[in-house]
DNA sequence: AATGATCGTTTCGTTAAACAGAACAGATGC
DNA sequence: GCATCTGTTCTGTTTAACGAAACGATCATT
């Protein structure tokens, strides 16, 4: 595989570089389905072998990585347990995924749910793929920009800072946003807000996919089911949807 | 909760301390089922808030942690995806767990499967709890000593360095080891080797629990089912069991 | 309403943690 | 047998990371 796991250069200034390196090793192991040796990890991550060995010591100690066949490394049982802990702690999955699945079953585009993470970024919490043969590439865990994409716009429009501007006003009136080719020129999406108690924004549910499936007719067709879904989720979250 | 997540002092010399710190934050979030704020994380891990913030930057960038309610932190979707990747990459679970579950259903003690990790340590890959009301505390991911515990002895006896000594010879003859109060004075266990192709040791399957349930009669009663289980697993792994 | 405690965030001087890179012995492939 | 690749170890150098304090905001108590 030729996917590189270099650390994102513009992010290395704000966290801890050694932690970034360690997590890039885990990401490389995750991408492979078989244990890999030191040199393969070095090629994939761009890290020196001595650096990798030091980092692997910590990852092995914590059970994130195990060493098998004396010289290969693989994901260890701690990642499984973290996954289970995430499921235990996150009952939202059991609420959101059925609603999202119904959107898929209705033949619409790929649903995702996003929340704001920082002033400039959102994170995708859940993502299902549509039944179409082509998809836009978004995964749970992805960090995406706030200022581009339908979901980002919804988060800006309904967030606490109540972003200003004609476009934001329109989104607030419609409880709906569309974005054609903003985040990525080949992709498009529509989004609507999910509220929780006290009229607070919880996040944005979106439908996204390749741009050619977002004609004005397509967008109009998706609006109803999407808004029905966010109304249902808002009710379940103890919120009331603005009329 | 009062569980501390301080880094293990004797391990901080060999990995990367910043990575150890970051993983201790994840461990703290895993132990809680609700999002927690900075001060709670600080109390639990013993780390300074400024240190935690820096580490959290990296963890958020990679999706291991998300920030919710503006000031609380929780496990993020990347840990779920790692858990799924681990399951995908580790078909052994689907082979081992049913066999281990049958040992539980037979009313025996808690089964675990261990592999060697370093010269001095083993790692528990899988663990099921018995149906008894008291258990020994072992979890998947735990690092345990090679020189103590029944599973450790089995790994030494059948490992490539073929550890010497009367006790090791006996274990090799019986394909079985028992350990009463070695790893922990209140616990005991029995273990047997699982082989794979070319007579190579794969790991050790053990049954363990509180010591008082390991009388000579108990040990004798567990030996048969345990050895039947490891024979079955060895056959499935393409190995042949020494007669 | 005032006050104290606790929170999240930012800053920066210091130091030792972490790195890069080389060297080496062993294994593998031709 | 030789070239290449591997895993492992070592160490001088540098800067990454830390600790600790300060600050403004929020919350709880009186």
């Amino acid at each position: 595989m030729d996917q590189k796991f270099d650390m994102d250069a513009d992010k290395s200034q704000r966290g801890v570089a050694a932690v970034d390196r360690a997590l890039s090793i885990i990401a490389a192991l995750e991408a492979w389905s078989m244990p890999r040796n030191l040199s393969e990890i070095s090629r994939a991550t761009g890290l020196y072998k001595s650096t990798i060995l030091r980092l692997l010591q910590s990852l092995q100690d914590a059970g994130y990585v195990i060493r098998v066949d004396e010289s290969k490394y693989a994901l260890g049982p701690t990642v499984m347990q973290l996954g289970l802990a995430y499921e235990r702690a996150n009952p939202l999955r059991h609420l959101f995924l059925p609603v999202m699945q119904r959107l898929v079953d209705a033949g619409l585009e790929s649903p995702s749910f996003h929340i704001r993470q920082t002033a400039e970024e959102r994170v995708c919490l859940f993502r299902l793929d549509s039944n179409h043969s082509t998809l836009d590439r978004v995964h749970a865990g992805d960090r995406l920009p706030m200022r581009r994409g339908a979901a980002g716009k919804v988060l800006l429009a309904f967030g606490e800072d109540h972003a200003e501007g004609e476009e934001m006003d329109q989104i607030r009136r419609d409880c709906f946003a569309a974005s054609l080719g903003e985040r990525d020129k080949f992709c498009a999406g529509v989004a609507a807000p999910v509220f929780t108690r006290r009229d607070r924004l919880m996040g944005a549910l979106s439908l996204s996919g390749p741009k050619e499936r977002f004609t004005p007719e397509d967008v109009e067709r998706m609006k109803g089911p999407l808004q029905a879904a966010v109304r249902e989720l808002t009710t379940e979250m103890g919120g009331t949807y603005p009329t």
Side-chain angles (χ1 to χ4, degrees), chain A:
Chain A
M1 70 123 56
D2 56 352
Q3 187 180 359
K4 290 290 283 187
F5 299 92
D6 292 337
M7 298 174 297
D8 194 322
D10 71 323
K11 286 174 175 169
S12 63
Q13 295 295 344
R14 61 187 194 181
V16 173
V19 176
D20 294 337
R21 292 190 176 97
L23 302 184
S24 75
I25 293 172
I26 296 178
L29 292 174
E30 178 193 356
W32 292 311
S33 56
M34 304 185 64
R36 296 301 173 120
N37 70 9
L38 196 57
S39 301
E40 289 167 306
I41 295 171
S42 178
R43 283 190 290 273
T45 58
L47 298 170
Y48 286 95
K49 293 184 291 181
S50 52
T51 300
I52 294 170
L53 281 174
R54 260 193 320 278
L55 295 165
L56 281 172
Q57 278 292 354
S58 292
L59 295 174
Q60 283 179 271
D61 287 346
Y64 281 72
V65 165
I66 57 170
R67 181 169 174 159
V68 298
D69 296 334
E70 279 165 59
S71 63
K72 293 186 190 302
Y73 297 92
L75 290 179
T78 296
V79 302
M80 177 194 75
Q81 290 178 298
L82 287 175
L84 293 173
Y86 177 84
E87 295 249 18
R88 268 200 312 277
N90 201 337
L92 292 182
R93 278 173 58 73
H94 307 294
L95 175 58
F96 275 71
L97 293 184
V99 175
M100 289 163 70
Q101 185 61 53
R102 289 208 294 277
L103 295 171
V104 170
D105 295 341
L108 301 175
E109 295 295 332
S110 304
S112 306
F113 183 67
H114 302 258
I115 63 171
R116 187 169 198 160
Q117 194 64 178
T118 66
E120 297 304 313
E121 283 185 331
R122 54 188 159 111
V123 61
C124 176
L125 288 191
F126 312 122
R127 155 81 181 206
L128 292 182
D129 288 343
S130 74
N131 289 332
H132 298 290
S133 56
T134 55
L135 305 170
D136 65 326
R137 185 163 64 95
V138 170
H139 301 102
D142 282 356
R143 299 285 283 256
L144 295 156
M146 287 290 285
R147 295 190 187 285
R148 283 178 287 122
K153 288 172 161 177
V154 164
L155 294 172
L156 284 172
F158 290 95
E160 289 198 356
D161 45 3
H162 250 59
E164 295 187 2
E166 176 102 358
E167 188 187 14
M168 294 288 116
D169 289 339
Q170 187 68 44
I171 292 169
R172 284 191 277 269
R173 279 198 289 277
D174 293 341
C175 288
F176 184 82
S179 154
L180 310 181
E182 285 181 14
R183 181 176 61 77
D184 181 293
K185 69 178 185 177
F186 298 111
C187 301
V190 296
V194 177
F195 297 98
T196 183
R197 285 172 289 104
R198 290 182 275 117
D199 299 328
R200 291 180 62 191
L201 180 70
M202 183 185 186
L205 184 67
S206 70
L207 295 168
S208 58
K211 198 173 153 192
E212 63 265 20
R213 295 206 297 268
F214 283 77
T215 65
E217 291 75 26
D218 291 325
V219 168
E220 197 55 36
R221 186 164 54 82
M222 291 189 262
K223 190 175 180 181
L226 180 64
Q227 289 189 315
V230 295
R231 284 175 185 274
E232 175 181 350
L233 290 169
T234 293
T235 300
E236 302 248 24
M237 295 313 304
T240 56
Y241 218 77
T243 307

